Amino acid sequence: MVKLRLKRCGRKQRAVYRIVAIDVRSRREGRDLQKVGFYDPINNQTYLNVPAILDFIEKGAQPTETVYDILKRAEVFQEFRFNQTKFN
């Protein structure tokens, strides 16, 4: 099973996170399948590769709670619903 979760980067006391698609059995710093975004909680900046995220979600990837909140704040799920209704 694939999950969308945060991978910690940056230095001590200045954490930044990559949003990655990764196998559930891998550890936090393990090898990821694809980098799909970036999140900086200190400067409150977010970069998301929305087409890649939607592709993984359509294939069954589950976001963690924190990633779900980030995606919800960026209104990614509204685009996902729009794409679903567009093709059905």
Side-chain angles (χ1 to χ4, degrees):
M1 180 179 186
V2 176
K3 280 206 175 225
L4 298 173
R5 68 172 130 162
L6 297 175
K7 187 174 189 178
R8 190 176 198 272
C9 301
R11 61 179 195 216
K12 187 168 42 170
Q13 302 296 321
R14 292 283 299 174
V16 293
Y17 298 92
R18 284 192 179 129
I19 300 170
V20 297
I22 194 166
D23 186 35
V24 174
R25 296 168 287 183
S26 297
R27 60 182 199 260
R28 181 185 73 182
E29 305 301 327
R31 186 166 183 221
D32 49 68
L33 301 172
Q34 185 178 354
K35 296 173 183 76
V36 295
F38 176 83
Y39 173 61
D40 183 359
I42 296 169
N43 296 326
N44 202 17
Q45 294 178 333
T46 306
Y47 166 76
L48 300 172
N49 183 352
V50 177
I53 291 170
L54 293 178
D55 187 46
F56 275 108
I57 290 174
E58 286 173 0
K59 291 179 182 174
Q62 297 293 315
T64 60
E65 288 182 31
T66 308
V67 172
Y68 179 83
D69 291 340
I70 292 168
L71 297 178
K72 188 175 171 185
R73 211 174 321 135
E75 299 177 351
V76 171
F77 294 112
Q78 289 180 351
E79 293 181 33
F80 180 66
R81 285 191 202 102
F82 175 71
N83 288 341
Q84 291 290 80
T85 58
K86 183 177 167 183
F87 294 115
N88 289 336

